[in-house]
Amino acid sequence: MITTSARLLRLVSLLSSRPTWSNAELARQLDVTERTVRRDVDKLRELGYGVESVPGPGGGYRFGAGNRMPPLNLDDDEVFAVAVALREAAHGAALGADPAALSALLKLRQILPTRMARRLSGLDATVEHTPRCETPRASAEVLLLLASVCRASERTTLTYRDMHDTTTVRCVDPHRLVYTGAHWYFVARDVGRSAWRTFRADRVLEVESTGEVVEVLDAPDAAQLVSDTITRTGYPFFARVRLPLSYDDARRLVAPIVATHEPDGPNATVISIGGSDPDQLAGYLLSLRTPLEVLSPDSVREALIARLDALYRGNEAGRRKADEQQ
């Protein structure tokens, strides 16, 4: 039997995870009686949580819309972590310099204790950022909507513009959001096609929940699905390359989000990796700084040899010039 405090935290988590719960459902989830659930709800109300009763057979509960939650208490380290995260989001690391992150950061700074404000000022004065690649970013509003329908498990109508600028309206059952470091992806089951799909969040035009709660029984590993989708279809050009590394070492060198990996004996791994063209792939392979063998296609192998030949000839000419000056 879990302690009362742990059970109350679990109850808050359950009430936050979907719109409504029956008393019986909560009792089963918490492994207590329905009478205990009613007592726990009363305790939450005493603590300031806006829990409303839902009429109907057996009764139920939900968090009321607009009800004030108890104040959020954070220690110095937690405040600093939140402020740094908002600073990065405002700079564009995850949200593309979305004004919502900047607005939240400014509001947070207004209420910070003096000692914390000084710590953040020191961070601003000493940290600089390298130029970032200008890629499309999802807005905070879209991400919040997608996260909300995922958490509530609500069937959703999604208006989406694909990579060919074709706009479609999909009925989907949400599952997860995945961030790759470059883009946010929304993983959901396409109801009309009865298949799991990944959607770039920055291409989502509209999100509208139907209010229908659905139970997904065959949910995939969301991160792996995004990785597989990107490595299969995210690039116009692909190559197969053999690395003299174990499977684990190869995955550390070339992340699963970049390539698919196949063990080739105990000390070698074959990766399938995509790129924009043979020369771009050759440049990436050189940046790995490890011996490798291009299995296919020939164009990537030739581009790699051409780059190596240009490096050799350029440095050989420099060496000869140095010898002549001696």
Side-chain angles (χ1 to χ4, degrees):
M1 180 71 69
I2 61 176
T3 63
T4 300
S5 57
R7 193 173 65 244
L8 289 176
L9 289 173
R10 172 66 174 154
L11 179 56
V12 170
S13 177
L14 289 171
L15 290 171
S16 302
S17 66
R18 64 185 228 198
T20 61
W21 288 85
S22 72
N23 200 345
E25 287 175 324
L26 290 172
R28 284 195 299 271
Q29 290 288 330
L30 297 171
D31 194 24
V32 296
T33 65
E34 294 184 33
R35 182 179 178 183
T36 299
V37 172
R38 287 191 289 270
R39 286 202 303 263
D40 286 349
V41 167
D42 288 339
K43 290 176 183 176
L44 289 181
R45 287 168 174 164
E46 291 174 3
L47 292 171
Y49 287 86
V51 183
E52 295 180 349
S53 297
V54 178
Y61 300 100
R62 68 185 174 206
F63 273 141
N67 277 299
R68 183 178 180 274
M69 300 294 284
L72 179 64
N73 295 316
L74 301 175
D75 61 28
D76 285 2
D77 288 341
E78 290 170 333
V79 170
F80 187 69
V82 171
V84 170
L86 286 172
R87 185 182 186 279
E88 287 302 292
H91 186 72
L95 298 177
D98 193 283
L102 179 59
S103 175
L105 178 60
L106 293 175
K107 290 178 180 178
L108 178 64
R109 288 196 172 196
Q110 289 174 359
I111 61 173
L112 286 179
T114 302
R115 64 183 183 278
M116 291 302 301
R118 288 200 189 100
R119 291 180 68 184
L120 285 181
S121 295
L123 183 71
D124 289 339
T126 58
V127 174
E128 296 185 9
H129 291 270
T130 58
R132 298 181 185 273
C133 179
E134 294 298 326
T135 58
R137 303 281 183 170
S139 70
E141 180 183 4
V142 167
L143 290 176
L144 181 60
L145 289 171
L146 294 175
S148 297
V149 294
C150 285
R151 186 183 66 179
S153 297
E154 293 176 347
R155 183 161 289 176
T156 300
T157 300
L158 195 74
T159 305
Y160 186 72
R161 184 180 61 244
D162 64 20
M163 62 188 300
H164 304 295
D165 285 332
T166 301
T167 300
T168 56
V169 177
R170 315 278 188 94
C171 181
V172 300
D173 292 339
H175 178 43
R176 289 288 188 274
L177 277 172
V178 176
Y179 183 52
T180 66
H183 298 289
W184 285 94
Y185 287 85
F186 176 51
V187 177
R189 184 176 182 84
D190 189 316
V191 177
R193 303 180 185 184
S194 297
W196 287 97
R197 293 287 187 266
T198 62
F199 302 91
R200 275 256 302 267
D202 58 281
R203 293 175 180 160
V204 173
L205 304 180
E206 188 174 348
V207 182
E208 185 175 352
S209 170
T210 66
E212 178 186 355
V213 177
V214 293
E215 183 178 5
V216 177
L217 301 177
D218 60 341
D221 182 319
Q224 188 61 52
L225 179 62
V226 170
S227 176
D228 292 345
T229 301
I230 292 174
T231 54
R232 285 199 314 267
T233 62
Y235 301 97
F237 200 85
F238 289 87
R240 285 174 56 80
V241 180
R242 187 176 187 271
L243 303 176
L245 301 170
S246 68
Y247 179 76
D248 290 339
D249 287 343
R251 284 169 63 89
R252 279 190 286 268
L253 180 65
V254 183
I257 200 68
V258 175
T260 57
H261 301 68
E262 304 171 31
D264 187 23
N267 299 311
T269 304
V270 174
I271 63 171
S272 177
I273 186 168
S276 57
D277 56 61
D279 186 65
Q280 182 269 330
L281 266 177
Y284 175 79
L285 293 175
L286 281 175
S287 73
L288 297 179
R289 294 184 295 180
T290 186
L292 55 86
E293 177 188 1
V294 176
L295 302 178
S296 66
D298 292 341
S299 57
V300 174
R301 185 184 305 109
E302 292 166 0
L304 184 64
I305 293 172
R307 278 181 170 252
L308 290 171
D309 184 58
L311 283 171
Y312 173 78
R313 285 186 283 104
N315 284 278
E316 177 65 13
R319 185 185 66 80
R320 290 177 180 174
K321 184 176 180 180
D323 289 345
E324 290 172 356
Q325 292 176 345
Q326 289 180 356

